[in-house]
Amino acid sequence: MSNIRHLPEACTRVQSLAAGESIDAHRHDDHQIVYAGSGVVAVTTDAGTWFAPGTRAIWVPAGTVHAHRAHGHLDLHLVGLPATDNPLGLDTPTVLAVSPLLRELIRAYTAAPDDTGPERRRLRAVLRDQLRASPQQPVHLPSPTDPRLAAVCALLHEDPAEPRTLAALATATGAGERTLSRLFRSELGMTFPQWRTQSRLYHALRMLADDTPVTTVAHRCGWSSTSAFIDVFRRSFGYTPGTHNRRS
């Protein structure tokens, strides 16, 4: 990422972004929690993209160069924590499950960022406890660096409904199937089917944020049926795609 801004403090605030609007690449000396009160937020680093609807939040460690992008109208809740305060003990971006209690804590904490009273300090303590207890979620689309792997991933990005097997994609890009299978595991930390599912879920969230009908999303993202899409989406995010925008 070029033209990287350095913002020493990771501020705590609520910021509205229109669909498609973004915050360019920057880094700060603090940790930051990123939460979408409405819409879907995508956080991109050199290592890939982390994406989260309202049932997830993204942990961005201090010093991480990252950019934000809004899918649908985004109410972006940002919580800054000093570099010395790492309740999660994580040094890489991570998606966290957001319980109803944690959601309300984040909303309340970001609503009055200038408050320094004792009630806010107690709120922060409970927020930290809830963060520590939040399960980590595999809602991450890692970016390939090997050109053979990047060529295959680009085809799937361009058309998430791409039906070809890894063997057929290997032939189309001039790579070996066994080589690609090994690269998916060693470079991206997941199998080809796992990465393709994550890519399809990412595209599905983007389409749902734009009010695309569920059946259309299922078709455009390559699921064999709407019911199959609903099942995968519910297991991944904890709610059905038809309720996505209503939850926001």
Side-chain angles (χ1 to χ4, degrees):
M1 296 181 180
S2 59
N3 301 319
I4 298 168
R5 294 179 295 135
H6 175 217
L7 308 175
E9 181 181 356
C11 60
T12 296
R13 69 172 189 269
V14 182
Q15 180 176 353
S16 292
L17 296 177
E21 193 173 355
S22 61
I23 300 174
D24 59 8
H26 61 284
R27 64 181 176 88
H28 27 68
D29 299 332
D30 296 338
H31 306 299
Q32 191 171 62
I33 302 155
V34 180
Y35 174 72
S38 67
V40 174
V41 61
V43 172
T44 299
T45 75
D46 287 338
T49 298
W50 287 258
F51 49 98
T55 56
R56 303 289 185 266
I58 303 173
W59 169 262
V60 182
T64 303
V65 177
H66 62 288
H68 306 277
R69 186 172 182 83
H71 300 293
H73 174 81
L74 178 64
D75 286 328
L76 185 64
H77 294 255
L78 301 169
V79 177
L81 294 173
T84 55
D85 185 5
N86 188 339
L88 294 162
L90 296 171
D91 58 6
T92 58
T94 305
V95 175
L96 307 171
V98 173
S99 66
L101 175 57
L102 180 55
R103 178 190 66 216
E104 296 307 320
L105 288 167
I106 292 173
R107 287 177 168 173
Y109 193 75
T110 55
D114 298 325
D115 184 6
T116 58
E119 183 177 346
R120 181 170 177 80
R121 290 195 293 272
R122 291 193 294 271
L123 181 64
R124 178 191 178 98
V126 179
L127 174 59
R128 293 180 74 260
D129 286 343
Q130 287 296 304
L131 281 172
R132 193 180 295 112
S134 297
Q136 299 177 30
Q137 299 289 328
V139 191
H140 172 217
L141 197 61
S143 296
T145 56
D146 186 284
R148 295 164 295 182
L149 191 59
V152 170
C153 291
L155 289 174
L156 299 176
H157 263 312
E158 291 168 8
D159 179 12
E162 169 61 66
R164 282 179 286 182
T165 63
L166 184 59
L169 290 168
T171 300
T173 56
E177 180 185 6
R178 294 181 64 181
T179 298
L180 287 174
S181 180
R182 175 179 54 80
L183 287 171
F184 267 104
R185 290 180 178 277
S186 63
E187 191 169 308
L188 303 183
M190 57 184 72
T191 65
F192 167 68
Q194 288 171 333
W195 191 94
R196 177 152 64 181
T197 297
Q198 289 296 300
S199 177
R200 287 175 170 176
L201 286 170
Y202 172 60
H203 285 283
L205 282 173
R206 295 173 60 185
M207 294 178 192
L208 290 170
D210 290 331
D211 291 320
T212 306
V214 172
T215 300
T216 303
V217 173
H219 174 71
R220 291 181 181 175
C221 291
W223 271 278
S224 58
S225 67
T226 302
S227 60
F229 166 53
I230 291 172
D231 181 60
V232 172
F233 191 96
R234 181 173 49 227
R235 284 190 282 108
S236 298
F237 299 116
Y239 61 95
T240 61
T243 64
H244 175 76
N245 287 341
R246 292 201 299 274
R247 294 178 66 89
S248 298

